[in-house]
Amino acid sequence: MIRNILGSVVALAGAASAVLSPFRDWYGGRAGQDYRVADLFEGITPTESGVLVSILLPFLGAALLVVLGVVLRSRLVVALAGLVVLGFTILWMVRQGQAAGSLVVGGDGEGLQVGVVNALAGGVLMLIGALLMTGRRSRRERERKPVEPFAVPAADQVDTWPPTQEPGMSVQTSPWPEPEVDPYTGPDPRDPRDARTRSYPQAAPHPEDDPRDPVHPPHRPPPPPQG
């Protein structure tokens, strides 16, 4: 957003400089509005030109392109406007050099003057503004939603937190500590190597575990009479 605003301001400043340049002197005390657009293609002539058919015309078109590009946030349109201004200015310099035999930069009003500098600076500022602008996002980028790298799992889903790439039970499913399990499980009765352990005499049951009644023990039958 900030880059779009900054680029738009720079591009609009370049458009204003380009539009004002034809009203200033370009070469030998002659203003830019005195050069016809046709002179850029047919050769420079001393014939005076009207404002609407002068070099101001392409510069006005470039300024409108800048405004359109800023509204649409189009870097391509703004850059195209800068190329138009630079192209017509350089073409004028070529034609003026052919007409005068050479181009000179003088402070006495006989060489290139401030109007050409304004036109060149305006075109460069338009290109800089296009580079600063971020442009308009495509529809796919606008519809793309940001994805959370570590989304919180739902309450009915079993997962670990923080999330891992391995499925399984949660690391902690209860706020209480898990009970410790005795690592010794005893011999395996199905293992033949542990058969010797099954031959050991079993311990007598504890009296408390005797199912018989300790108060009323069972009666034994009397012995047979001796003959």
Side-chain angles (χ1 to χ4, degrees), residues 104-123:
V104 295
V105 179
D108 54 355
E110 296 298 331
L112 294 175
Q113 295 181 345
V114 66
V116 181
V117 177
N118 290 146
L120 293 175

mmCIF file of all heavy atoms in Angstrom, residues 104-123:
data_model
loop_
_atom_site.group_PDB
_atom_site.id
_atom_site.type_symbol
_atom_site.label_atom_id
_atom_site.label_comp_id
_atom_site.label_asym_id
_atom_site.label_seq_id
_atom_site.Cartn_x
_atom_site.Cartn_y
_atom_site.Cartn_z
ATOM 1 N N VAL A 104 24.408 21.493 -28.627
ATOM 2 C CA VAL A 104 25.310 22.082 -27.638
ATOM 3 C C VAL A 104 24.503 22.446 -26.409
ATOM 4 O O VAL A 104 23.288 22.672 -26.474
ATOM 5 C CB VAL A 104 26.009 23.339 -28.203
ATOM 6 C CG1 VAL A 104 26.919 22.959 -29.366
ATOM 7 C CG2 VAL A 104 25.002 24.387 -28.627
ATOM 8 N N VAL A 105 25.178 22.474 -25.298
ATOM 9 C CA VAL A 105 24.568 22.882 -24.034
ATOM 10 C C VAL A 105 25.232 24.186 -23.639
ATOM 11 O O VAL A 105 26.424 24.211 -23.298
ATOM 12 C CB VAL A 105 24.746 21.815 -22.945
ATOM 13 C CG1 VAL A 105 24.123 22.273 -21.640
ATOM 14 C CG2 VAL A 105 24.144 20.503 -23.399
ATOM 15 N N GLY A 106 24.516 25.288 -23.733
ATOM 16 C CA GLY A 106 25.092 26.596 -23.426
ATOM 17 C C GLY A 106 24.207 27.364 -22.489
ATOM 18 O O GLY A 106 22.989 27.186 -22.448
ATOM 19 N N GLY A 107 24.818 28.231 -21.737
ATOM 20 C CA GLY A 107 24.073 29.053 -20.797
ATOM 21 C C GLY A 107 23.665 30.385 -21.377
ATOM 22 O O GLY A 107 23.027 31.181 -20.691
ATOM 23 N N ASP A 108 24.016 30.648 -22.605
ATOM 24 C CA ASP A 108 23.674 31.935 -23.212
ATOM 25 C C ASP A 108 22.393 31.879 -24.026
ATOM 26 O O ASP A 108 22.100 32.794 -24.804
ATOM 27 C CB ASP A 108 24.829 32.408 -24.102
ATOM 28 C CG ASP A 108 25.232 31.366 -25.141
ATOM 29 O OD1 ASP A 108 24.673 30.255 -25.090
ATOM 30 O OD2 ASP A 108 26.103 31.662 -25.984
ATOM 31 N N GLY A 109 21.632 30.756 -23.907
ATOM 32 C CA GLY A 109 20.384 30.638 -24.636
ATOM 33 C C GLY A 109 20.536 30.124 -26.033
ATOM 34 O O GLY A 109 19.579 30.164 -26.815
ATOM 35 N N GLU A 110 21.691 29.600 -26.406
ATOM 36 C CA GLU A 110 21.920 29.102 -27.756
ATOM 37 C C GLU A 110 21.894 27.579 -27.843
ATOM 38 O O GLU A 110 21.837 27.026 -28.929
ATOM 39 C CB GLU A 110 23.277 29.612 -28.277
ATOM 40 C CG GLU A 110 23.352 31.119 -28.429
ATOM 41 C CD GLU A 110 22.342 31.652 -29.435
ATOM 42 O OE1 GLU A 110 21.989 30.917 -30.382
ATOM 43 O OE2 GLU A 110 21.882 32.797 -29.270
ATOM 44 N N GLY A 111 21.964 26.882 -26.713
ATOM 45 C CA GLY A 111 21.988 25.424 -26.725
ATOM 46 C C GLY A 111 20.746 24.826 -26.077
ATOM 47 O O GLY A 111 19.675 25.441 -26.026
ATOM 48 N N LEU A 112 20.890 23.592 -25.612
ATOM 49 C CA LEU A 112 19.785 22.924 -24.915
ATOM 50 C C LEU A 112 19.464 23.684 -23.632
ATOM 51 O O LEU A 112 20.360 24.064 -22.877
ATOM 52 C CB LEU A 112 20.161 21.476 -24.596
ATOM 53 C CG LEU A 112 20.348 20.541 -25.794
ATOM 54 C CD1 LEU A 112 20.852 19.179 -25.309
ATOM 55 C CD2 LEU A 112 19.061 20.383 -26.574
ATOM 56 N N GLN A 113 18.178 23.840 -23.384
ATOM 57 C CA GLN A 113 17.769 24.625 -22.227
ATOM 58 C C GLN A 113 16.890 23.805 -21.288
ATOM 59 O O GLN A 113 16.735 22.583 -21.453
ATOM 60 C CB GLN A 113 17.070 25.911 -22.700
ATOM 61 C CG GLN A 113 18.017 26.833 -23.458
ATOM 62 C CD GLN A 113 17.348 28.116 -23.910
ATOM 63 O OE1 GLN A 113 16.125 28.216 -23.907
ATOM 64 N NE2 GLN A 113 18.145 29.103 -24.302
ATOM 65 N N VAL A 114 16.311 24.491 -20.327
ATOM 66 C CA VAL A 114 15.684 23.821 -19.195
ATOM 67 C C VAL A 114 14.454 23.020 -19.598
ATOM 68 O O VAL A 114 14.076 22.054 -18.922
ATOM 69 C CB VAL A 114 15.322 24.865 -18.112
ATOM 70 C CG1 VAL A 114 14.238 25.826 -18.610
ATOM 71 C CG2 VAL A 114 14.880 24.193 -16.826
ATOM 72 N N GLY A 115 13.799 23.380 -20.689
ATOM 73 C CA GLY A 115 12.620 22.634 -21.095
ATOM 74 C C GLY A 115 12.938 21.188 -21.423
ATOM 75 O O GLY A 115 12.158 20.280 -21.104
ATOM 76 N N VAL A 116 14.085 20.946 -22.063
ATOM 77 C CA VAL A 116 14.482 19.567 -22.374
ATOM 78 C C VAL A 116 14.781 18.802 -21.090
ATOM 79 O O VAL A 116 14.436 17.623 -20.957
ATOM 80 C CB VAL A 116 15.698 19.577 -23.308
ATOM 81 C CG1 VAL A 116 16.118 18.158 -23.653
ATOM 82 C CG2 VAL A 116 15.395 20.362 -24.579
ATOM 83 N N VAL A 117 15.401 19.477 -20.139
ATOM 84 C CA VAL A 117 15.704 18.829 -18.850
ATOM 85 C C VAL A 117 14.416 18.434 -18.140
ATOM 86 O O VAL A 117 14.304 17.344 -17.565
ATOM 87 C CB VAL A 117 16.555 19.766 -17.978
ATOM 88 C CG1 VAL A 117 16.817 19.145 -16.612
ATOM 89 C CG2 VAL A 117 17.874 20.092 -18.673
ATOM 90 N N ASN A 118 13.405 19.327 -18.179
ATOM 91 C CA ASN A 118 12.126 18.996 -17.549
ATOM 92 C C ASN A 118 11.465 17.790 -18.208
ATOM 93 O O ASN A 118 10.879 16.931 -17.524
ATOM 94 C CB ASN A 118 11.186 20.195 -17.612
ATOM 95 C CG ASN A 118 11.622 21.329 -16.714
ATOM 96 O OD1 ASN A 118 11.428 22.509 -17.040
ATOM 97 N ND2 ASN A 118 12.223 21.005 -15.582
ATOM 98 N N ALA A 119 11.549 17.711 -19.524
ATOM 99 C CA ALA A 119 10.929 16.583 -20.238
ATOM 100 C C ALA A 119 11.637 15.278 -19.908
ATOM 101 O O ALA A 119 10.991 14.252 -19.632
ATOM 102 C CB ALA A 119 10.959 16.842 -21.736
ATOM 103 N N LEU A 120 12.960 15.285 -19.925
ATOM 104 C CA LEU A 120 13.712 14.068 -19.593
ATOM 105 C C LEU A 120 13.492 13.654 -18.143
ATOM 106 O O LEU A 120 13.312 12.465 -17.846
ATOM 107 C CB LEU A 120 15.203 14.285 -19.862
ATOM 108 C CG LEU A 120 15.610 14.476 -21.325
ATOM 109 C CD1 LEU A 120 17.098 14.812 -21.432
ATOM 110 C CD2 LEU A 120 15.291 13.228 -22.143
ATOM 111 N N ALA A 121 13.491 14.636 -17.240
ATOM 112 C CA ALA A 121 13.261 14.319 -15.823
ATOM 113 C C ALA A 121 11.856 13.764 -15.616
ATOM 114 O O ALA A 121 11.652 12.843 -14.816
ATOM 115 C CB ALA A 121 13.478 15.566 -14.975
ATOM 116 N N GLY A 122 10.882 14.294 -16.345
ATOM 117 C CA GLY A 122 9.528 13.783 -16.211
ATOM 118 C C GLY A 122 9.406 12.336 -16.645
ATOM 119 O O GLY A 122 8.764 11.517 -15.971
ATOM 120 N N GLY A 123 10.029 11.982 -17.767
ATOM 121 C CA GLY A 123 9.990 10.592 -18.217
ATOM 122 C C GLY A 123 10.678 9.645 -17.254
ATOM 123 O O GLY A 123 10.191 8.537 -16.980
#
